[in-house]
Amino acid sequence: QVQLVESGGGLARPGGSLRLSCTASIGGFSINSMGWYRQAPGKERELVARVTSGGSTNYADSVKGRFSISTDNAKKTVWLQMNSLKAEDTAVYYCNYKLHRYDFREYDYWGQGTQVTVSS
């Protein structure tokens, strides 16, 4: 019923840029927020950036000023523009949608993950 499809990612050199996108089919749900998380080998999954349906954003301190999250609510798509990439940005990146419907509960959905590797 709910499907999230990620694209983008790949290999970039330090200082380079990549752009991730995630498009969702959400059926009868409404969006509370959309975001990006990442998980590096041996580390826990961490929030990278999030945007609410009202347009409020928050970023991990490690990516502030380098990454930018944006959305097209009509298309239910969220992007993550990653600039000035560093080796420590290497991770699998996951989009996350927090949704609600008539029961007012919040539901978490995840994309399949896309690898981002920053290396010279």
Side-chain angles (χ1 to χ4, degrees):
Q1 184 175 3
V2 175
Q3 284 190 316
L4 277 60
V5 179
E6 298 183 30
S7 62
L11 176 64
R13 296 187 182 279
S17 298
L18 286 172
R19 191 186 197 212
L20 308 181
S21 67
C22 182
T23 299
S25 171
I26 64 171
F29 288 89
S30 298
I31 296 172
N32 288 346
S33 67
M34 297 178 275
W36 291 93
Y37 288 71
R38 66 186 180 187
Q39 188 166 19
K43 295 188 176 181
E44 293 187 354
R45 190 173 297 188
E46 64 174 357
L47 174 69
V48 176
R50 174 161 298 281
V51 57
T52 69
S53 59
S56 298
T57 58
N58 65 292
Y59 294 89
D61 288 342
S62 60
V63 306
K64 284 180 180 177
R66 301 188 298 121
F67 290 12
S68 177
I69 190 169
S70 60
T71 66
D72 182 332
N73 286 335
K75 296 181 179 179
K76 300 177 179 59
T77 299
V78 61
W79 294 275
L80 184 68
Q81 178 66 42
M82 304 184 291
N83 299 326
S84 303
L85 284 162
K86 304 176 180 180
E88 49 264 43
D89 295 319
T90 296
V92 178
Y93 284 70
Y94 299 89
C95 63
N96 170 262
Y97 283 48
K98 297 188 185 297
L99 308 177
H100 73 273
R101 57 184 185 181
Y102 59 87
D103 60 2
F104 301 107
R105 290 175 54 190
E106 187 168 84
Y107 295 82
D108 252 348
Y109 289 93
W110 295 88
Q112 78 275 18
T114 186
Q115 178 70 45
V116 170
T117 302
V118 183
S119 175
S120 56

